[in-house]
């Protein structure tokens, strides 16, 4: 599909030159933006419709100037309009709009911090972290997870409104579950205390305790946010992440594209020689 997308880009550029009469300089500007977009974005078919997910492209251009970002997104939108009007293609464009992020959203945890805690955690703590971060579960979903819902390479999750979703178990997590079950021998639920499942409060306490040892204040919901943000940062399709999280619409998941962009911009501003902190230090000298 990526090759097909690139072919569409080539046809669009020729259309701008030959039919619309755009100058070579203008077409070159379109070409730079669209080649970058086509190399990084996801193009696929879903329910008989083409989908163009430019989330990875948005992450990549976040450090460009506002003017450049506007131009590049404008080129993408013009390209999509061409596909609809001239190629009669039914297409859905994902992640091209600006998204307001609620201030209450927790910040994702740095990947290396999670890895460091996992190294020092005991078996139960390691599985607890791995289930929340490795599958993007809500703490309530993990609390009620029954052994019978873990089948081979898949785990069945009962989410909000009793909606069921199936999540793939990565090899390392599957092996960890096997080791945990052999050691703790739970009867009905993955995490048990006595004959009952550990409730959300008990699991939350165990999680915050293990991160606190390393000087970190972490909540279960932060691990879920980290799961989503890190997947998108590494190029996962927003449609897939939305499905894994159990979101009803992708609009909810699109918040994470903005979170990643904001974080990258903050790091950029902090590191820039003309940032407020550095200017202040220079003034004091």
């Amino acid at each position: 599909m990526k090759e097909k997308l690139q072919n569409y880009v080539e046809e669009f550029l020729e259309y701008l030159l030959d039919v619309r009469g755009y100058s070579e300089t203008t077409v070159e500007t379109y070409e730079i933006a669209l080649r970058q977009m086509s190399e990084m974005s996801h193009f696929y078919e879903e329910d008989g419709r083409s989908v163009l997910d430019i989330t990875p492209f948005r992450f990549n251009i976040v450090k460009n100037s506002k003017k450049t970002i506007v131009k590049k997104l404008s080129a993408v939108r013009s390209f999509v309009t061409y596909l609809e009007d001239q190629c009669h293609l039914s297409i859905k464009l994902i992640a091209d709009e600006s998204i307001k992020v609620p201030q209450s959203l927790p910040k994702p945890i740095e990947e290396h911090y999670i890895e460091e805690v996992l190294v020092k955690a005991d078996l139960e703590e390691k599985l607890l972290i791995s289930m929340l971060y490795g599958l993007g579960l809500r703490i309530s979903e993990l609390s009620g997870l029954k052994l019978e819902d873990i089948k081979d390479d898949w785990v069945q999750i009962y989410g909000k409104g009793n909606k069921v979703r199936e999540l793939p178990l990565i090899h390392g997590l599957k092996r960890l579950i096997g080791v945990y079950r052999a050691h703790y021998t739970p009867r009905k639920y993955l995490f048990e205390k006595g004959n009952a499942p550990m409730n959300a409060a008990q699991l939350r306490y165990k999680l915050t305790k293990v991160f606190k040892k390393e000087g970190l204040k972490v909540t279960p919901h932060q691990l879920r946010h980290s799961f989503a943000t890190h997947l998108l940062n590494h190029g996962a399709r927003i449609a897939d992440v939305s499905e894994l999280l159990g979101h009803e619409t992708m609009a909810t998941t699109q918040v994470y594209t903005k979170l990643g962009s904001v974080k990258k911009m903050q790091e950029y501003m902090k590191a820039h020689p003309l940032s407020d902190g550095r200017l202040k230090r220079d003034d004091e000298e």
Side-chain angles (χ1 to χ4, degrees), residues 243-258:
E243 189 175 337
L244 291 170
L245 289 170
H247 285 163
E248 289 189 13
T249 66
M250 278 189 288
T252 308
T253 318
Q254 282 178 319
V255 164
Y256 299 107
T257 66
K258 184 66 175 177

Side-chain angles (χ1 to χ4, degrees), residues 11-12 69 89 97 99 168 178:
E11 291 170 9
F12 174 61
I69 292 173
L89 201 66
E97 70 275 11
I99 301 158

Side-chain angles (χ1 to χ4, degrees), residues 97-207:
E97 70 275 11
S98 298
I99 301 158
K100 290 185 179 180
V101 185
Q103 294 300 313
S104 58
L105 277 177
K107 293 179 181 178
I109 308 149
E110 298 285 351
E111 293 176 47
H112 67 92
Y113 286 140
I114 298 174
E115 290 168 1
E116 288 169 12
V117 172
L118 280 170
V119 169
K120 297 180 182 180
D122 64 27
L123 180 57
E124 185 180 55
E125 294 166 341
K126 191 171 291 185
L127 182 62
L128 175 58
I129 295 168
S130 299
M131 293 297 288
L132 293 170
Y133 177 59
L135 296 174
L137 301 183
R138 300 178 178 95
I139 193 71
S140 57
E141 293 171 343
L142 183 57
S143 172
L145 182 59
K146 296 178 180 178
L147 297 176
E148 64 185 32
D149 294 328
I150 303 171
K151 304 167 185 176
D152 297 322
D153 297 325
W154 296 85
V155 57
Q156 202 167 58
I157 301 298
Y158 294 85
K160 288 183 176 180
N162 284 324
K163 290 184 179 177
V164 182
R165 67 187 189 276
E166 288 196 342
L167 304 177
L169 283 174
I170 55 178
H171 181 70
L173 184 51
K174 182 181 177 181
R175 187 176 66 248
L176 183 60
I177 291 172
V179 173
Y180 173 86
R181 291 183 66 173
H183 185 271
Y184 286 94
T185 61
R187 294 180 181 182
K188 186 176 181 180
Y189 296 90
L190 184 61
F191 288 97
E192 289 180 339
K193 188 170 184 180
N195 294 320
M198 285 190 196
N199 60 40
Q202 290 169 325
L203 292 176
R204 187 178 292 107
Y205 173 76
K206 287 179 178 291
L207 181 79

Side-chain angles (χ1 to χ4, degrees), residues 206-221:
K206 287 179 178 291
L207 181 79
T208 53
K209 186 179 176 183
V210 66
F211 276 94
K212 192 175 180 181
K213 289 178 187 175
E214 302 304 315
L216 297 168
K217 189 176 180 180
V218 171
T219 66
H221 208 50

Side-chain angles (χ1 to χ4, degrees), residues 18-146:
D18 301 338
V19 180
R20 298 295 299 274
Y22 282 25
S23 70
E24 288 191 7
T25 304
T26 302
V27 174
E28 281 176 10
T29 303
Y30 274 82
E31 183 178 6
I32 292 168
L34 294 175
R35 286 198 190 284
Q36 186 181 9
M37 179 278 296
S38 63
E39 286 171 6
M40 298 174 180
S41 301
H42 302 295
F43 187 58
Y44 56 96
E45 297 286 337
E46 188 174 79
D47 299 327
R49 191 181 185 189
S50 297
V51 179
L52 179 58
D53 178 1
I54 63 171
T55 304
F57 173 64
R58 287 294 301 269
F59 274 122
N60 186 267
I61 65 173
V62 70
K63 290 184 181 179
N64 291 168
S65 69
K66 185 177 179 180
K67 186 178 179 180
T68 300
I69 292 173
V70 168
K71 281 185 176 180
K72 288 184 176 182
L73 290 179
S74 176
V76 172
R77 293 187 189 109
S78 296
F79 171 61
V80 170
T81 300
Y82 160 80
L83 293 178
E84 291 173 331
D85 295 347
Q86 303 301 320
C87 303
H88 307 293
L89 201 66
S90 176
I91 186 166
K92 180 178 182 180
L93 179 60
I94 296 175
D96 71 316
E97 70 275 11
S98 298
I99 301 158
K100 290 185 179 180
V101 185
Q103 294 300 313
S104 58
L105 277 177
K107 293 179 181 178
I109 308 149
E110 298 285 351
E111 293 176 47
H112 67 92
Y113 286 140
I114 298 174
E115 290 168 1
E116 288 169 12
V117 172
L118 280 170
V119 169
K120 297 180 182 180
D122 64 27
L123 180 57
E124 185 180 55
E125 294 166 341
K126 191 171 291 185
L127 182 62
L128 175 58
I129 295 168
S130 299
M131 293 297 288
L132 293 170
Y133 177 59
L135 296 174
L137 301 183
R138 300 178 178 95
I139 193 71
S140 57
E141 293 171 343
L142 183 57
S143 172
L145 182 59
K146 296 178 180 178

